[in-house]
Structures are given as C-alpha cells and as structure tokens.
Amino acid sequence: TDIVVGATPDDLEPHLAAATAPVATEHYVVVGRPDNPARNPLELAQMNAVMAAGSPHWDYFQRVQAVVPGLKVNAVSDALPPDAPLQLVADGMVDVAIVPVIDGLDRIAEHPRLQSLFNLTDERAIRWHVRRDDPSLLASLDQFIARYHAAYFEPPATLRD
C-alpha cells in the first residue's frame, strides 16, 4: 500500500508511515433535535443513538452503553449517504446521531430541525499517510495538496433563509 486515507495515527506504525500536510479538519459531534437536553454522553439515558458502522467511536459508545441506563447504540451501513444518520434523527426514528463535522462540509446546517448537542472530540487534522521509505511520494503529495486541496473542499451550496 502506498497511500492510506482516513486512518488515524493510532492505526499506523509511526516508524513506517509519514503524514502529508493537512487536507481538512474534523471533529465529532452528537446531534439531536432542539428539545433534546443531553450535553454529554452520560445524559443519553433511555435514548437511541445512531452512527456509521465504521465510526471510530463505535467501541467507545459500546462502553458508554454499558454504564448509561437504556442507551441503545445502532449502526447504519457505511454504504448509505453520509447524512443518513442525521435524517434518522430529523425524522424522529432515533434520538441522536454521532457524526463527523468536516471543515467546510457542515451537513448539520442542511437539517433545520437539528442542532449539535455537544462536541465529542476536539478538532483534528485529516492527513494522508504514505510509506516513510518513499519521500518522493510524500513530497509530491504535499505539493499537490498545497496547490489544489482547496478546490476539493469548496463548501456546498446549502439552503438558507
């Protein structure tokens, strides 16, 4: 493998992989309807939560589920559109969704019946990772990112008042 996209530094051997310049930032939030009073994971008692099956927070919420009475954590297929968990909350099918907010791609704003209840993580840089023994690939990717990455993260047109 020459390039790994979407991995976290914990998933990779630091002596084998080098990171490119950041291509974006992300942080995870818990999203609900405005009448939801939850402001931290321990206040999710008796609620249904949903997140993508491949979410890096699946294991964490399995542990939270063990200590928060009545919390049910559900997974949606990674093959569904990224806003599928948000639509489930907006439609009243579940109480909260755990979703990433990626710099310039705020899908929550597209759902006027939803709001971010609380941040689950701090903001972190999204980077590509390459083999450390291929410095020319790393240099080429950094050059590409410096020149073109802004075009890939142009904010989408959203409905506004």
Side-chain angles (χ1 to χ4, degrees), residues 33-102:
R33 291 177 298 281
D35 61 343
N36 190 322
R39 296 299 175 255
N40 67 62
L42 298 177
E43 295 178 356
L44 297 175
Q46 306 305 319
M47 292 189 198
N48 284 309
V50 66
M51 69 179 77
S55 171
H57 299 291
W58 181 258
D59 291 338
Y60 170 74
F61 271 92
Q62 292 302 300
R63 293 189 305 274
V64 170
Q65 183 175 256
V67 297
V68 174
L71 174 61
K72 294 179 183 73
V73 181
N74 306 286
V76 296
S77 170
D78 291 326
L80 292 174
D83 72 334
L86 296 174
Q87 193 62 51
L88 289 171
V89 178
D91 292 344
M93 304 295 289
V94 295
D95 300 298
V96 296
I98 295 91
V99 297
V101 175
I102 299 172

Side-chain angles (χ1 to χ4, degrees), residues 4-7 9 18-26 102-103 123-129 138 141-153:
V4 178
V5 177
T20 65
V23 295
T25 61
E26 76 173 356
I102 299 172
D103 179 35
E123 197 164 319
R124 71 179 187 110
I126 298 173
R127 302 171 186 268
W128 298 342
H129 295 83
L138 180 62
L141 287 172
D142 278 340
Q143 182 180 15
F144 173 82
I145 290 166
R147 186 167 181 185
Y148 296 109
H149 88 278
Y152 289 100
F153 291 99

